[in-house]
């Protein structure tokens, strides 16, 4: 009889890729994926705690399984990810949801198979949260679910300790994979037909960190030199470590997309200092200037936070000013989320919800206006699109150009995984539409 699993993923692209690793482990145990959690023999929640709403969402969904668990007593419910790695949260989970069978942390994902087998042989819950041991484990194989796109971790953890961020506390200190393992993985994935590779890390620019023989720009160059037609992206890139050498490598290698995600977080020097970002707004603008010098048409995207403790109206206006100067292709804009265990959570001067809401709406309006203006410039142009999926509601295929802009188009044949040229005839905010030529 077939056994089924269902994985619920919260948070960033890092978590999406880790869910692929969880899927790989479950497939080795003979489980198959199912779309409905009600049909699952094992339900896994891969949690995130970067923002409070992600944590609350996870708690709500886990809570909704109480009745299902009562009906399916042999069903296994497992909870892992960043949320469980926070100090004391595993105990909170166990007390609040006693029907959860397995609770595991970010550092022991690779042992999920062992935990499942252990739970199947005993009645009590399996709870194991390990501290970071500084090692990088290569044995977890992913069950890739995102063709033609694919993600490759190059680093784990983070050394930056931004005052608002919980990542270093739940994912440990930064460590890099061996370049030979990364390149071999990329080569294998290209041979399997994947067309777009994204290198992942909390700060890809600091790859190596004194432990590897090559730098991040050199790693990019080696992967870009592999045979085959594919695109190469990376995220996230910390501004303090963004180098001229990296800008040159992007310019000199056509397989590397002319798109860089460079999170600025704020345009205020006072706020940046309080965030421990270790650069000023002028430093950031200089990095963008260097990037545009070598890659004039580079699409720069960013992350922005409003409502950080003690942020004044003047600080907020400085963020708006920086956004106007850079002209971001798009931006992920957030209201500051207080996270227990971080330095910022203890700061005085927490900003009211009302003020934060007003600021975020004003910021989003500005970013959206820039995005719409950039989209209009596409009209009449022909762009190369990597077809990624089919939208059943719109009855159109979709894919992105190298700058990350989404394009919808019609086709009588299945084009998923193919590079196609599309002439743009419509622009709707961040997305475009056109006809295959």
């Amino acid at each position: 009889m077939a056994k089924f699993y269902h994985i619920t993923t919260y948070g960033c692209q890092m978590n999406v890729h880790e869910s692929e690793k969880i899927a790989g482990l479950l497939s080795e145990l003979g489980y198959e994926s199912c779309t409905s959690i009600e049909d699952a023999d094992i339900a896994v929640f891969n949690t995130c705690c970067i923002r409070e709403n992600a944590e609350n969402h996870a708690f709500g969904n886990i809570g909704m399984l109480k009745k299902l668990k009562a009906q399916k007593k042999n069903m296994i419910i497992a909870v892992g990810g960043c949320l469980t790695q926070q100090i004391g949260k595993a105990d909170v989970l166990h007390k609040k949801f006693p029907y959860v069978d397995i609770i595991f942390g970010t550092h022991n994902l690779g042992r999920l198979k062992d935990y499942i087998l252990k739970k199947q042989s005993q009645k009590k819950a399996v709870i194991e949260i390990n501290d970071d041991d500084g090692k990088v484990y290569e044995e977890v194989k992913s069950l890739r679910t995102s063709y033609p796109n694919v993600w490759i971790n190059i680093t784990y953890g983070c050394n930056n300790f931004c005052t608002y961020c919980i990542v270093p506390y739940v994912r440990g200190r930064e460590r890099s994979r061996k370049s030979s393992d990364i390149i071999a993985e990329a080569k294998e994935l290209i041979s399997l037909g994947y067309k777009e590779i994204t290198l992942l890390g909390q700060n890809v620019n600091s790859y190596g960190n004194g432990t590897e023989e090559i730098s991040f720009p050199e790693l990019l160059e080696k992967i870009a030199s592999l045979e085959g037609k594919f695109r190469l992206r990376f995220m996230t890139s910390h501004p303090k470590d963004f180098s001229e050498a990296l800008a040159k490598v992007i310019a000199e290698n056509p397989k590397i997309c002319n798109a860089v995600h460079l999170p600025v977080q704020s345009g205020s020097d006072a706020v940046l200092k309080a965030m421990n970002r270790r650069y000023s707004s002028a430093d950031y603008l200089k990095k963008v200037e260097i990037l545009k010098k070598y890659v004039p048409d580079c699409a720069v995207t960013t992350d922005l936070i409003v409502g950080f403790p003690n942020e004044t109206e003047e600080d907020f206006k400085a963020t708006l000013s920086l956004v106007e100067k850079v002209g971001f292709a798009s931006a992920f804009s957030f209201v500051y989320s207080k996270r227990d265990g971080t330095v910022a959570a203890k700061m005085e001067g927490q900003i009211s919800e009302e003020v934060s809401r007003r600021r975020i709406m004003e910021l989003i309006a500005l970013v959206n206006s820039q995005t719409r203006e950039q989209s209009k410039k596409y009209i009449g142009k022909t762009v190369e699109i990597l077809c990624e999926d089919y939208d059943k509601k719109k009855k159109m295929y979709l894919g992105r150009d190298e700058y990350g802009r989404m394009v919808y188009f019609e086709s009588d044949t299945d084009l998923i995984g193919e590079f196609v040229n599309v002439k743009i005839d419509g622009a709707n905010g961040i997305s475009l539409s056109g006809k295959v030529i």
Side-chain angles (χ1 to χ4, degrees):
M1 182 180 293
K3 300 182 295 182
F4 297 100
Y5 71 82
H6 184 279
I7 302 173
T8 305
T9 307
Y10 306 87
C12 63
Q13 203 59 62
M14 192 82 72
N15 271 28
V16 173
H17 181 38
E18 289 188 348
S19 287
E20 291 183 330
K21 295 180 181 180
I22 292 171
L25 292 169
L26 293 173
S27 67
E28 290 178 7
L29 286 175
Y31 289 88
E32 299 176 21
S33 177
C34 65
T35 56
S36 174
I37 199 166
E38 286 77 13
D39 297 328
D41 297 291
I42 178 166
V44 183
F45 292 88
N46 187 13
T47 63
C48 173
C49 64
I50 299 298
R51 305 192 188 282
E52 187 176 13
N53 61 345
E55 183 174 320
N56 292 339
H57 195 194
F59 274 126
N61 286 342
I62 296 167
M64 290 173 63
L65 286 192
K66 183 176 182 179
K67 290 183 179 179
L68 182 61
K69 176 67 172 178
Q71 296 168 3
K72 298 177 63 175
K73 297 188 183 299
N74 291 328
M75 178 186 190
I76 293 177
I77 300 175
V79 182
C82 294
L83 173 60
T84 64
Q85 195 70 41
Q86 286 181 279
I87 295 176
K89 279 297 171 73
D91 291 334
V92 171
L93 275 165
H94 184 51
K95 291 176 182 177
K96 191 176 182 69
F97 310 109
Y99 50 88
V100 170
D101 301 289
I102 300 169
I103 300 174
F104 63 100
T106 57
H107 303 310
N108 48 313
L109 179 153
R111 294 197 61 202
L112 180 57
K113 283 198 301 183
D114 296 335
Y115 303 149
I116 293 171
L117 295 173
K118 184 176 182 180
K119 174 56 191 173
Q120 289 173 337
S121 66
Q122 65 180 35
K123 290 185 178 181
K124 65 178 182 179
V126 178
I127 302 173
E128 187 164 333
I129 309 295
N130 293 340
D131 292 330
D132 171 29
D133 60 7
K135 295 181 181 179
V136 176
Y137 297 94
E138 295 287 344
E139 72 272 14
V140 179
K141 298 296 182 183
S142 302
L143 182 62
R144 309 285 182 173
T145 58
S146 53
Y147 178 85
N149 302 313
V150 71
W151 294 277
I152 299 177
N153 282 109
I154 66 169
T155 68
Y156 296 96
C158 185
N159 289 346
N160 290 312
F161 289 92
C162 299
T163 58
Y164 56 82
C165 187
I166 197 71
V167 168
Y169 305 99
V170 297
R171 290 193 173 274
R173 301 301 293 270
E174 183 180 290
R175 59 262 189 217
S176 299
R177 293 179 62 196
K178 293 180 179 179
S179 61
S180 57
D181 290 332
I182 297 168
I183 295 166
E185 184 175 356
K187 189 173 183 179
E188 178 186 14
L189 292 168
I190 294 165
S191 71
L192 292 173
Y194 289 95
K195 304 294 176 61
E196 183 169 297
I197 297 171
T198 301
L199 305 181
L200 295 177
Q202 297 298 333
N203 178 16
V204 292
N205 293 343
S206 60
Y207 170 78
N209 197 26
T211 64
E212 279 298 306
E213 74 284 0
I214 63 174
S215 65
F216 179 59
E218 291 170 329
L219 176 65
L220 271 179
E221 195 165 36
K222 285 182 178 293
I223 296 174
S225 68
L226 294 174
E227 293 185 4
K229 182 174 175 59
F230 64 93
R231 289 177 180 167
L232 183 58
R233 300 185 190 273
F234 55 89
M235 65 184 304
T236 294
S237 200
H238 197 296
K240 73 178 177 62
D241 297 314
F242 189 90
S243 66
E244 188 169 7
L246 178 53
K248 287 181 180 179
V249 165
I250 296 171
E252 294 168 357
N253 292 272
K255 290 178 182 176
I256 303 175
C257 293
N258 289 352
V260 174
H261 189 64
L262 198 63
V264 65
Q265 307 299 1
S266 175
S268 163
D269 290 344
V271 173
L272 289 172
K273 184 176 181 180
M275 288 178 168
N276 192 36
R277 292 293 287 174
R278 286 178 277 179
Y279 55 82
S280 67
S281 58
D283 294 333
Y284 183 88
L285 291 172
K286 182 65 176 177
K287 296 297 176 79
V288 173
E289 181 183 333
I290 291 171
L291 176 58
K292 291 296 183 82
K293 172 185 173 183
Y294 291 96
V295 192
D297 63 340
C298 188
V300 181
T301 58
T302 198
D303 293 342
L304 297 161
I305 296 174
V306 302
F308 191 78
N310 299 301
E311 182 190 58
T312 65
E313 282 300 313
E314 184 179 352
D315 293 326
F316 174 61
K317 295 299 182 186
T319 295
L320 295 179
S321 176
L322 185 141
V323 170
E324 289 174 340
K325 289 176 182 176
V326 176
F328 293 108
S330 65
F332 296 101
S333 303
F334 306 97
V335 171
Y336 164 71
S337 180
K338 185 178 180 180
R339 308 310 294 137
D340 291 339
T342 64
V343 173
K346 300 176 183 178
M347 291 181 179
E348 296 181 357
Q350 300 288 326
I351 305 301
S352 71
E353 183 178 339
E354 180 183 2
V355 170
S356 293
R357 188 185 305 116
R358 172 179 58 78
R359 290 175 181 172
I360 194 69
M361 295 306 293
E362 187 174 349
L363 177 61
I364 289 173
L366 174 59
V367 171
N368 286 349
S369 68
Q370 291 182 333
T371 300
R372 284 193 294 271
E373 288 302 310
Q374 292 185 36
S375 291
K376 289 178 183 178
K377 296 178 182 179
Y378 273 86
I379 302 294
K381 293 183 178 180
T382 298
V383 294
E384 185 180 63
I385 303 300
L386 173 59
C387 184
E388 299 177 0
D389 207 347
Y390 180 75
D391 189 318
K392 293 181 180 178
K393 290 184 179 180
K394 294 184 178 182
K395 296 183 179 180
M396 300 179 78
Y397 286 90
L398 61 134
R400 292 174 297 158
D401 69 354
E402 70 164 305
Y403 305 101
R405 196 58 58 104
M406 187 66 70
V407 179
Y408 290 84
F409 51 92
E410 295 179 347
S411 174
D412 294 330
T413 58
D414 185 356
L415 294 174
I416 295 175
E418 301 294 329
F419 287 99
V420 294
N421 291 320
V422 177
K423 186 173 183 179
I424 307 301
D425 56 22
N428 180 22
I430 196 169
S431 66
L432 308 168
S433 59
K435 293 180 173 60
V436 177
I437 60 172

